[in-house]
Amino acid sequence: MSVVETKLRIGELAELTGTTPRTIRYYEEIGLLPGAEREQGKHRWYTEADVERVQEIVRLRDLLGLSLEQLSKLLEAETARAELRRELQLTEDPDDRRRILEEASGHIATQLELVRGRRQELEKLEHELADKQKKVRRKLRELGA
Amino acid sequence: MSVVETKLRIGELAELTGTTPRTIRYYEEIGLLPGAEREQGKHRWYTEADVERVQEIVRLRDLLGLSLEQLSKLLEAETARAELRRELQLTEDPDDRRRILEEASGHIATQLELVRGRRQELEKLEHELADKQKKVRRKLRELGA
DNA sequence: TTGCTCCTCACGTCACGTGAGGTGGC
DNA sequence: TTGCTCCTCACGTCACGTGAGGTGGC
């Protein structure tokens, strides 16, 4: 919670997230990343929040294999929520707070379903491979005897 | 083990594997699929073995997120093994059998490592999401009280 | 001021999608 | 024979990679 925000250049953001400047610019171009702050019209400056956003994008992209359009839709709700949350953290109205929390819960549930489905597919493949491995090793033992 | 092989057309192979004819042709073009039997120079005919091959390709492609070049290398050894296996199932030489089985074991181990790594990444993400969900739900309960 | 990183085109690539126009097989 | 599926170009698309030529900031 420091007062001075850490300002990052596009190359630094890229390195911290395992991407490239070109990828960052592309994500901005298609609206997946909010347009970075541009001092007087030249270099882009990023914050810690951008690092987290890009890390989330990269993780879901790689682990779930979603297209960037699908990812946009998945993260859109989250982005809207984040904005609302800021506004409404100021208010203390319990109805508003409940609504925001319920939306968050639903959004997390959606992601959880996707992740669980993938994990189960991978577990199935893993078990099949482990099974194959067992059979091959049993045959090797039989040969050794 | 029937004598008559089931002959499949490219559209049937595609549907059975969740792909498209264009994808099948592309995989043949880049050498990921062996060129299908071509009767007199026109339609391609496929067998059950092709179905299994494409299913394996698709599964590894989607679950591991490998490029088709990486997949080629991963499956190359397996293809070579399959051929050797046929030759050597005829011979009964234990040294040859041992060598083949050991190669198979190594190859399966490689795939298992990739699959386990992915599975663990997904589990980590799943736990983080489950954690988030818990926190949101706790806040909701606090509001309800 | 020098050197590195940044900037914007713009063309290239990978893994296919999508017609266009024509031929094969139950 | 008719209709569907197949065939081969060949251009389009998505998600960037890769220079080319030029400007910004510690």
Side-chain angles (χ1 to χ4, degrees):
Chain A
M1 302 296 178
S2 64
V3 181
V4 185
E5 290 242 317
T6 319
K7 294 282 183 183
L8 298 167
R9 300 209 261 176
I10 196 169
E12 295 168 324
L13 174 60
E15 198 162 358
L16 284 171
T17 55
T19 62
T20 67
R22 167 72 224 209
T23 297
I24 303 295
R25 288 191 202 102
Y26 182 65
Y27 287 176
E28 179 184 322
E29 190 184 330
I30 64 171
L32 192 50
L33 265 185
E37 185 190 347
R38 297 262 218 161
E39 287 292 348
Q40 53 269 31
K42 283 298 172 183
H43 285 39
R44 294 165 176 87
W45 292 106
Y46 296 93
T47 69
E48 286 298 318
D50 293 312
V51 177
E52 281 172 39
R53 171 85 175 179
V54 175
Q55 276 172 343
E56 191 177 6
I57 289 172
V58 166
R59 219 175 175 194
L60 293 176
R61 179 194 70 182
D62 292 347
L63 290 180
L64 298 184
L66 301 176
S67 73
L68 297 187
E69 198 183 340
Q70 292 173 310
L71 256 185
S72 288
K73 285 177 190 166
L74 192 66
L75 295 180
E76 212 166 76
E78 196 172 19
T79 310
R81 269 200 314 107
E83 277 175 43
L84 267 181
R85 188 165 39 184
R86 269 185 211 158
E87 287 178 37
L88 290 169
Q89 262 179 347
L90 303 177
T91 95
E92 291 273 324
D93 185 77
D95 283 352
D96 286 342
R97 299 207 61 169
R98 174 181 306 281
R99 189 164 47 76
I100 292 162
L101 287 170
E102 275 167 357
E103 270 177 35
S105 178
H107 178 247
I108 294 166
T110 302
Q111 278 187 237
L112 258 176
E113 266 178 60
L114 287 172
V115 171
R116 283 203 177 112
R118 272 269 155 157
R119 194 250 298 152
Q120 283 164 9
E121 282 183 82
L122 269 166
E123 274 182 359
K124 196 178 165 205
L125 178 54
E126 191 178 336
H127 289 142
E128 286 177 22
L129 285 170
D131 230 63
K132 257 196 190 178
Q133 187 67 294
K134 256 190 174 174
K135 284 180 188 163
V136 168
R137 290 198 169 142
R138 188 171 54 210
K139 282 191 194 170
L140 269 170
R141 278 198 311 280
E142 286 169 8
L143 261 184
Chain B
M1 299 296 181
S2 65
V3 181
V4 185
E5 289 243 317
T6 319
K7 294 283 183 182
L8 298 167
R9 300 209 262 179
I10 196 168
E12 296 168 323
L13 174 60
E15 197 162 359
L16 284 171
T17 55
T19 63
T20 68
R22 167 72 225 207
T23 297
I24 302 294
R25 288 190 203 104
Y26 182 65
Y27 287 176
E28 179 184 322
E29 190 184 330
I30 65 170
L32 193 50
L33 264 185
E37 187 189 346
R38 294 264 217 159
E39 288 291 353
Q40 53 268 31
K42 284 298 172 183
H43 286 39
R44 293 166 177 86
W45 292 105
Y46 295 93
T47 68
E48 286 298 320
D50 294 312
V51 177
E52 281 172 39
R53 172 84 175 182
V54 175
Q55 277 172 343
E56 191 176 6
I57 290 171
V58 166
R59 217 175 176 195
L60 293 175
R61 178 195 69 184
D62 292 346
L63 290 180
L64 298 184
L66 302 177
S67 74
L68 297 188
E69 199 183 339
Q70 292 173 310
L71 255 184
S72 288
K73 284 177 190 165
L74 192 66
L75 295 181
E76 212 166 76
E78 197 173 18
T79 310
R81 269 200 315 105
E83 277 175 44
L84 266 180
R85 189 165 40 186
R86 268 185 211 158
E87 287 179 36
L88 291 169
Q89 262 178 350
L90 304 176
T91 93
E92 291 273 323
D93 185 77
D95 283 353
D96 286 341
R97 300 208 60 169
R98 174 180 306 282
R99 190 163 47 76
I100 291 162
L101 287 170
E102 274 167 357
E103 271 178 34
S105 178
H107 177 248
I108 294 166
T110 303
Q111 278 187 236
L112 259 175
E113 265 178 62
L114 288 171
V115 171
R116 284 205 177 111
R118 272 269 154 158
R119 194 250 300 154
Q120 282 165 10
E121 282 182 81
L122 269 166
E123 274 181 0
K124 196 179 164 204
L125 178 54
E126 189 178 338
H127 288 141
E128 286 176 23
L129 285 169
D131 230 63
K132 258 197 189 177
Q133 186 68 292
K134 257 189 175 175
K135 284 180 187 163
V136 168
R137 291 201 168 141
R138 189 173 53 211
K139 282 191 194 170
L140 269 169
R141 278 199 311 280
E142 287 169 8
L143 262 183

